[in-house]
Every structure is written in C-alpha cells, then in structure tokens.
Amino acid sequence: ALTSGAYNTAVGGNAFITATDGHSNTALGMSALKYTTSGDANVAVGRMALAANTTANDNVGVGYYALAANETGKDNVAIGTDAMKANVAGNDNTAIGYRSQYTGNGQDYNVSVGWKTLHDITTGQSNIALGYDGGRSITTANDNVAIGIYAMGGTNAKTGDGNTCVGKNTGNDLSSGEANTFIGQQAG
C-alpha cells in the first residue's frame, strides 16, 4: 500500500496496487502499473499497461498490454495494443502502432511508427522504422532506417548495421549486410 508517494492517480482493478512510494503516476485500467513500487512520472492507460513496472520512471504506455513487461526501462513511449509488450529494460524508445517493437527486451534509442514496425527487434539500437510492417525483421542490428511498407521485412533476420531502405519491400533479402542504401520499390 502507498505509504509516502504523492500526486498519483489510479483507476481500475489492481491498478497501482503494490506501490509503496512513487510520485506523479497515472494508472487507468485493470492492472495498469500493478507492480510499481517506487517509479515516478509514469502514465499507463489500458489493461496491463506497464503492469510489471517496478522502479522505472518517465514511461508512457497507452493500449492493451503496452509496455506490459517493462520493469526498469525508462523514458519509453509505447502507444498501441502490445506495443513494446516484452520490453523489460530497454530505454529511450518510441513505439507507435499495433505490436510495434513487440519482442524487444533491452533495445535502446529506437523509433518505430506503424503496424508491427520493428516487431522482431531484440537488442538492436538506434533504428528507425516507418510504415506498415517496416523493419519487422531487424533483430540485433543497429543504426538502420526502414521507410515504407515491408521495408527491411521479409523472413531473414536482419543483423547488419547502417542500412538505409526506402520504398516498398526494400532490403527484404538482407540478413547481415551492412552500410547499404536501397531506394525504390523492391530495391535490394
């Protein structure tokens, strides 16, 4: 039970229920911020949003299971059903869209906007994906840009760094290639 926190708002069954400390948190929805003990300035809207958050600060999770597994990751924004669902400790990410950055667990500095963008990411850093299914197959790769429907998608896990793919289906056959630039539909 909250003993020394201030300026918190919790609405919904089990929302913010285990907090002992914490300031300026907002939990709206069943089990939102459920396991937060001392995190500050978090916003969780939706069932299980930021449910596993323990001590992390400055996160925004909006949507069913958004940032649900996050425990210590900070400064993340996840908007959409299952956005950043598996993240436990990744920091400074922005994921907007259904299952955007879905499998990530320790990734940092990524930006993804669109349905299942950066879906398969695990520990990749500093990637940008925009568009339906953009960058879906990027896993451990760093510093990639995927813009367009299915850009850097396909079935091959993407582990190469520094690629830029702009256009529908660009870079889909890449796996470990690095420092490539593909522009135009199905280039690369």
Side-chain angles (χ1 to χ4, degrees):
L2 193 65
T3 57
S4 61
Y7 312 111
N8 297 293
T9 302
V11 178
N14 294 320
F16 205 56
I17 194 168
T18 60
T20 55
D21 192 9
H23 300 275
S24 305
N25 293 289
T26 301
L28 301 173
M30 182 177 169
S31 298
L33 287 170
K34 181 177 182 177
Y35 295 108
T36 297
T37 55
S38 62
D40 297 329
N42 294 293
V43 175
V45 179
R47 182 176 181 186
M48 299 297 289
L50 281 158
N53 195 69
T54 54
T55 59
N57 301 320
D58 306 308
N59 290 294
V60 175
V62 178
Y64 180 76
Y65 279 83
L67 277 165
N70 192 74
E71 293 178 10
T72 59
K74 62 182 181 62
D75 302 318
N76 295 297
V77 175
I79 300 173
T81 296
D82 292 333
M84 292 187 72
K85 180 180 180 178
N87 183 67
V88 174
N91 301 306
D92 305 299
N93 296 289
T94 300
I96 300 173
Y98 174 77
R99 292 197 173 168
S100 184
Q101 296 187 45
Y102 179 71
T103 59
N105 182 10
Q107 75 279 19
D108 297 323
Y109 316 115
N110 294 292
V111 175
S112 56
V113 179
W115 186 86
K116 291 190 178 180
T117 48
L118 294 178
H119 180 276
D120 298 341
I121 197 155
T122 53
T123 58
Q125 311 286 311
S126 304
N127 295 290
I128 298 170
L130 304 172
Y132 183 91
D133 222 21
R136 179 182 184 145
S137 298
I138 296 173
T139 55
T140 59
N142 303 310
D143 307 312
N144 291 290
V145 176
I147 299 174
I149 186 170
Y150 305 119
M152 292 189 81
T155 57
N156 297 328
K158 310 297 187 250
T159 60
D161 298 336
N163 295 295
T164 301
C165 297
V166 179
K168 181 179 180 181
N169 292 316
T170 55
N172 280 355
D173 293 327
L174 273 174
S175 55
S176 59
E178 296 189 355
N180 295 291
T181 301
F182 301 123
I183 299 175
Q185 183 170 321
Q186 296 181 332

